[in-house]
Amino acid sequence: MCFFLVTSFGLWKTVMIGGIVCTFYTSLGGMKAVIWTDVIMFVVIFGTTVMVIVTGVVKAGGVGHVWETNKEAGRLDLIQFPWDPTQRMTFLNLVIGGFMNSLPMWAVSQTAVQRFLAAKSIKDAQA
């Protein structure tokens, strides 16, 4: 999609080229090629995330300014124990939200499905 946005290629051409390239390197390299592609994508995404955070902090005036601004706004009171579900960032909200957020990770995430389908046995999938 990014390639489509920064070039003059049409959307369908971009999708087809991406599909052909991915099919080609997967056919040649198998699961090893797919895993190395995942590793490279992790490095790119993690590096980009770090760059965005650093750039945002620098443009906002530094870590001290960001910290003070969040402290004044009450954003640093991380764990609170009231039972009001409408209040932001309470312990109960974190537990329920964390549980609901972790469910798809073990059922329908691309990583889990890839592990289950690529494993030779149930024991290998559980490792």
Side-chain angles (χ1 to χ4, degrees):
M1 188 63 149
C2 292
F3 193 72
F4 161 70
L5 294 174
V6 296
T7 65
S8 60
F9 282 165
L11 178 61
W12 287 107
K13 286 181 185 177
T14 305
V15 170
M16 290 300 292
I17 290 170
I20 291 169
V21 168
C22 291
T23 302
F24 180 72
Y25 78 76
T26 302
S27 298
L28 290 180
M31 199 62 199
K32 190 174 184 179
V34 173
I35 290 172
W36 273 110
T37 303
D38 288 346
V39 169
I40 292 168
M41 288 190 60
F42 167 77
V43 169
V44 169
I45 291 170
F46 185 77
T48 304
T49 302
V50 169
M51 288 186 341
V52 166
I53 291 170
V54 168
T55 303
V57 168
V58 168
K59 287 192 176 199
V63 175
H65 179 69
V66 171
W67 187 267
E68 286 302 317
T69 302
N70 284 301
K71 188 175 181 181
E72 290 171 5
R75 300 282 189 188
L76 299 179
D77 301 330
L78 295 180
I79 298 180
Q80 302 169 4
F81 289 95
W83 292 98
D84 183 10
T86 62
Q87 199 172 10
R88 185 178 185 274
M89 294 285 285
T90 64
F91 182 74
L92 182 62
N93 292 348
L94 291 175
V95 169
I96 293 171
F99 174 73
M100 297 302 261
N101 193 34
S102 68
L103 285 178
M105 182 172 55
W106 298 109
V108 294
S109 75
Q110 188 268 337
T111 306
V113 172
Q114 181 176 338
R115 177 188 293 169
F116 300 150
L117 294 177
K120 296 176 185 173
S121 67
I122 293 175
K123 186 176 180 181
D124 288 339
Q126 292 171 341

